[in-house]
Amino acid sequence: MSIPQLPAVSPSESVSLEQAIQIAFRDNAQVKASRYQVEAAKANLTGQRAPINPTFTYGGLNNSVAPTPTLNVNDPSNYSFLFTVETNGANQWRTSEASNQLRQAQADAETAMLNVRQSVTNAYVAVQIANRGLEDERAAYEDIKRIRDLTKKQFEAGAAPQTNAIRADIALTQEVGNLLTQINNVKGARTNLNIALGHKPEEPIDSIEKLEYVAIHPNPAELQKLAATNRPEVKSAEFNRDAIRASVGLQRSQYFPDLVVGTDLRLVKSGVLLVGFTMPLFDFGSIHGAVKSAEKNAKAQDAQVTIERQQVRQDVESAYEALTIAEGTVDAFQGGLVPQAEALEQRIEKGYVLGGNTILDLLDAQSTLRSARIAYYGAIGNYRQALAQLERAVGQPVSALKTAPEIAPIGGGK
């Protein structure tokens, strides 16, 4: 019976976790979108800093020279120029608003990169788990194949009933199905990693790093301090609040006058400029309403900043709790379940060879060991993903994700 094979991936197509993250920072659509938003905010700031554009008008209806309005294109008094100087402070308020919007876009871009880092890490670890699971399935296949061959020889020698040989053949066929399932798991994990990177799902890719595990024991209080300093969501909310506060000033500036300088072609020849100012004669409520609306929006954003800070604290607490639970699960497998399952399988196999245990006892023990190993490495993967969750909650990389040593197999194994 042939063993199913996974499509090969060349070494050049296998990447480390850090390489995968850097590729995603380059190719992931979410990161690209956030960068375009930053560029748009920069362009907006440039525009908002600029003074009001001067205007040029042509119109004979305002001709005060000729008794009758005329559209004579040769009449210099029909051409006028107007330049407004924003003495009401609107330019400064617009600049402040746009500047804070740029800072908000930059903070949002940092958030996007944190999100992508976590999703890539989770996808990469899922590939590692799937690869390790495939190794365990292949080892289980070899174990069952060895037992099948032994049972067949015992039957042919008259030392075992034919039912044992049939049962071993069935177990081997079932394990082929398990292999096919695990191969599909690896393919699915690779597809998800490609999507996280921003690549086509079918592109060949694999993890070059083996599944790793090292326990870290951070101080929860220090984690909260780091998160309060690093999390860009809080910075984004604060910059948005400052932009809204600038909007209050911008709306209120409409109450104050702007300086207006103007002339026409007839007057400019004699060096005459007309200087005046413009401001609302009455406010029927539009300016007052705009100011009040901006003030209320600023207060609402103050509340949003508080919500973001509370969410950050909750994120850190949840991530730390997940890390603690994941470590306890790994310890439980390392300290008891896996070694016990390995010892049980070895004892029952020896008993089967000596006639003290049945084929069903042996196959059950092998199945238990296989499940324990797969669950153990899955628990290590969960711990690694809990580290990624903690990294996201704190807002900065956790060095253990890149420096953890490769795990050593528990027990002798086969």
Side-chain angles (χ1 to χ4, degrees):
M1 184 180 297
S2 61
I3 303 177
Q5 297 296 319
L6 186 70
V9 175
S10 68
S12 63
E13 295 165 335
S14 298
V15 296
S16 67
L17 173 57
E18 192 59 30
Q19 287 173 331
I21 291 172
Q22 295 305 317
I23 290 171
F25 285 169
R26 182 193 66 199
D27 298 338
N28 184 278
Q30 184 179 356
V31 175
K32 288 182 179 179
S34 67
R35 287 174 181 158
Y36 288 134
Q37 289 169 347
V38 171
E39 292 175 8
K42 287 180 179 178
N44 179 59
L45 176 58
T46 300
Q48 297 303 326
R49 279 176 174 165
I52 294 178
N53 294 326
T55 60
F56 166 77
T57 61
Y58 168 78
L61 295 179
N62 294 322
N63 190 336
S64 61
V65 177
T68 304
T70 175
L71 294 177
N72 183 7
V73 295
N74 295 318
D75 187 347
S77 63
N78 286 341
Y79 299 89
S80 61
F81 303 89
L82 191 67
F83 181 73
T84 301
V85 181
E86 293 179 287
T87 53
N88 64 357
N91 182 273
Q92 291 86 344
W93 288 119
R94 283 202 315 273
T95 300
S96 176
E97 182 182 38
S99 178
N100 281 293
Q101 288 171 344
L102 172 59
R103 294 187 180 98
Q104 181 187 1
Q106 291 169 333
D108 291 341
E110 292 179 23
T111 299
M113 294 180 73
L114 284 176
N115 290 337
V116 169
R117 175 181 283 273
Q118 183 183 16
S119 64
V120 169
T121 299
N122 287 340
Y124 190 90
V125 171
V127 172
Q128 292 177 312
I129 295 172
N131 285 342
R132 182 67 208 204
L134 184 57
E135 290 181 27
D136 290 335
E137 289 294 359
R138 285 171 174 163
Y141 175 87
E142 293 299 330
D143 284 344
I144 293 177
K145 184 174 180 294
R146 178 170 49 82
I147 296 302
R148 191 281 308 268
D149 294 342
L150 174 62
T151 304
K152 183 178 180 180
K153 291 179 180 179
Q154 289 176 335
F155 166 65
E156 291 173 348
Q162 186 179 18
T163 53
N164 284 8
I166 294 173
R167 186 65 186 83
D169 276 330
I170 293 173
L172 185 62
T173 301
Q174 289 173 331
E175 186 54 39
V176 171
N178 292 337
L179 269 174
L180 287 171
T181 298
Q182 193 58 36
I183 286 173
N184 286 332
N185 290 342
V186 173
K187 290 179 179 178
R190 290 178 178 178
T191 295
N192 291 335
L193 178 57
N194 268 323
I195 292 173
L197 296 180
H199 292 176
K200 295 179 181 179
E202 67 275 8
E203 288 187 14
I205 193 169
D206 200 4
S207 60
I208 199 171
E209 298 170 353
K210 300 293 185 181
L211 194 61
E212 301 167 344
Y213 173 71
V214 62
I216 64 171
H217 303 96
N219 185 314
E222 290 299 321
L223 292 175
Q224 291 288 1
K225 290 180 181 179
L226 287 173
T229 302
N230 295 330
R231 283 288 290 271
E233 294 94 330
V234 176
K235 297 177 184 177
S236 175
E238 291 173 342
F239 289 136
N240 189 26
R241 176 199 58 198
D242 294 342
I244 295 174
R245 288 176 177 175
S247 177
V248 175
L250 179 61
Q251 298 300 334
R252 189 175 285 122
S253 70
Q254 298 178 74
Y255 286 121
F256 302 99
D258 284 332
L259 180 67
V260 179
V261 179
T263 187
D264 60 35
L265 290 182
R266 176 176 55 85
L267 295 175
V268 76
K269 291 179 181 180
S270 58
V272 176
L273 294 176
L274 301 178
V275 179
F277 68 89
T278 178
M279 63 181 296
L281 184 60
F282 300 106
D283 177 22
F284 292 110
S286 61
I287 299 176
H288 178 77
V291 171
K292 285 297 181 182
S293 175
E295 288 175 342
K296 297 302 181 182
N297 286 336
K299 290 182 179 180
Q301 190 59 29
D302 278 332
Q304 187 61 41
V305 171
T306 301
I307 292 172
E308 289 293 346
R309 288 172 179 164
Q310 292 172 339
Q311 183 62 52
V312 166
R313 293 191 62 84
Q314 183 180 350
D315 289 347
V316 174
E317 291 176 2
S318 298
Y320 182 78
E321 184 67 20
L323 188 71
T324 302
I325 293 174
E327 181 183 355
T329 304
V330 174
D331 289 344
F333 279 107
Q334 286 183 334
L337 183 57
V338 175
Q340 291 174 355
E342 288 176 341
L344 177 64
E345 192 274 340
Q346 292 170 3
R347 291 179 58 182
I348 290 181
E349 182 172 343
K350 291 178 181 178
Y352 175 72
V353 173
L354 297 175
N357 292 98
T358 67
I359 184 68
L360 293 177
D361 293 335
L362 180 56
L363 294 176
D364 181 67
Q366 287 180 336
S367 176
T368 299
L369 177 58
R370 166 185 163 275
S371 299
R373 284 176 172 169
I374 291 175
Y376 167 60
Y377 293 114
I380 291 176
N382 290 338
Y383 183 85
R384 298 273 291 156
Q385 291 174 336
L387 276 175
Q389 181 183 350
L390 182 64
E391 183 179 76
R392 176 65 182 86
V394 172
Q396 70 178 30
V398 176
S399 59
L401 278 170
K402 298 188 287 293
T403 61
E406 184 179 348
I407 55 175
I410 293 181
K414 293 184 182 68

